[in-house]
């Protein structure tokens, strides 16, 4: 979501926050979709982090006006994020650990003409902030994304996407 803030007509109030405003509208007037799932609060930790981890995104479309018919319900913008498919050739894993969060991903083939991936993320920011500031700051979150893609006949494709997210 940080990358969207450089587009024309999109304004941010902070370099730290992922929240943005489109053409003078309020921050809650943006509609977010994640593989067709409507996301009502796509931010963690007061807007510092996004629910959408960049490694799972394949494409992101943003409409700042003249929304397509299926995207009604908000005044400012529509952000439609589509996830990528998992690897269909072999199983692979990746992990990332930094001072604020830990992320792990596993992906691979399932049955013929299918693939899957699982991506999970957990924050460590409350521990990091308490060591820097010296006070307990209870800000933590988690995300989990699972996607299974099956293309049995070459033309039709079926996807199952599960997103779990939470904040403390």
């Amino acid at each position: 979501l940080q990358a969207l803030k450089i587009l024309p007509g999109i304004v941010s109030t902070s370099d730290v926050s992922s929240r943005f405003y489109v053409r003078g509208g309020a921050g809650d007037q943006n509609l977010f979709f994640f593989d067709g799932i409507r996301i009502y609060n796509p931010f963690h930790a007061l807007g510092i982090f996004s629910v959408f981890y960049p490694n799972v995104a394949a494409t992101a479309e943003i409409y700042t006006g003249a929304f397509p018919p299926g995207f009604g319900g908000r005044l400012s913008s529509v952000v439609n994020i589509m996830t990528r498919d998992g690897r269909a050739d072999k199983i692979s894993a990746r992990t990332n650990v930094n001072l604020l969060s830990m992320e792990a991903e596993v992906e691979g083939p399932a049955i013929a003409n299918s693939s899957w991936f699982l991506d999970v993320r957990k924050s460590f920011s409350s521990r990091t902030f308490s060591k820097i500031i010296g006070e307990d700051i209870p800000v933590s979150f988690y995300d989990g994304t699972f996607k299974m893609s099956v293309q049995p006949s070459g033309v039709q494709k079926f996807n199952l996407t599960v997103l779990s997210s939470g904040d403390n």
Side-chain angles (χ1 to χ4, degrees):
L1 295 181
Q2 290 281 12
L4 297 178
K5 296 190 309 186
I6 63 169
L7 297 174
I10 298 177
V11 178
S12 174
T13 59
S14 168
D15 288 338
V16 177
S17 178
S18 296
R19 295 180 188 272
F20 59 88
Y21 306 92
V22 177
R23 291 182 281 113
D28 63 348
Q29 293 174 336
N30 300 312
L31 178 62
F32 293 89
F33 284 99
F34 185 74
D35 269 359
I37 304 167
R38 184 176 282 203
I39 306 297
Y40 290 100
N41 188 10
F43 306 105
H44 290 303
L46 306 172
I48 297 173
F49 296 96
S50 166
V51 170
F52 315 116
Y53 202 69
N55 291 338
V56 302
T59 61
E61 301 171 325
I62 184 162
Y63 301 97
T64 58
F67 309 144
F71 295 142
R74 291 293 193 271
L75 298 175
S76 288
S77 72
V78 174
V79 178
N80 184 25
I81 298 173
M82 301 302 292
T83 59
R84 65 178 181 79
D85 293 338
R87 291 185 67 154
D89 58 343
K90 65 180 180 177
I91 293 178
S92 67
R94 184 183 59 76
T95 187
N96 179 23
V97 178
N98 58 45
L99 294 174
L100 298 177
S101 66
M102 183 280 299
E103 185 250 347
E105 181 177 272
V106 180
E107 61 184 320
I111 55 175
N113 299 322
S114 67
S115 64
W116 60 274
F117 76 82
L118 173 66
D119 189 274
V120 293
R121 180 173 57 155
K122 172 80 173 101
S123 70
F124 298 133
S125 55
S126 60
R127 292 181 195 159
T128 304
F129 290 145
S130 16
K131 289 186 184 210
I132 293 171
I133 298 174
E135 294 181 28
D136 184 31
I137 300 176
V139 176
S140 66
F141 65 87
Y142 70 90
D143 292 316
T145 304
F146 173 78
K147 182 176 182 181
M148 171 75 115
S149 299
V150 180
Q151 194 166 8
S153 65
V155 176
Q156 297 176 336
K157 184 176 180 182
F158 301 98
N159 292 321
L160 170 70
T161 303
V162 178
L163 172 67
S164 179
S165 180
D167 286 279
N168 290 331

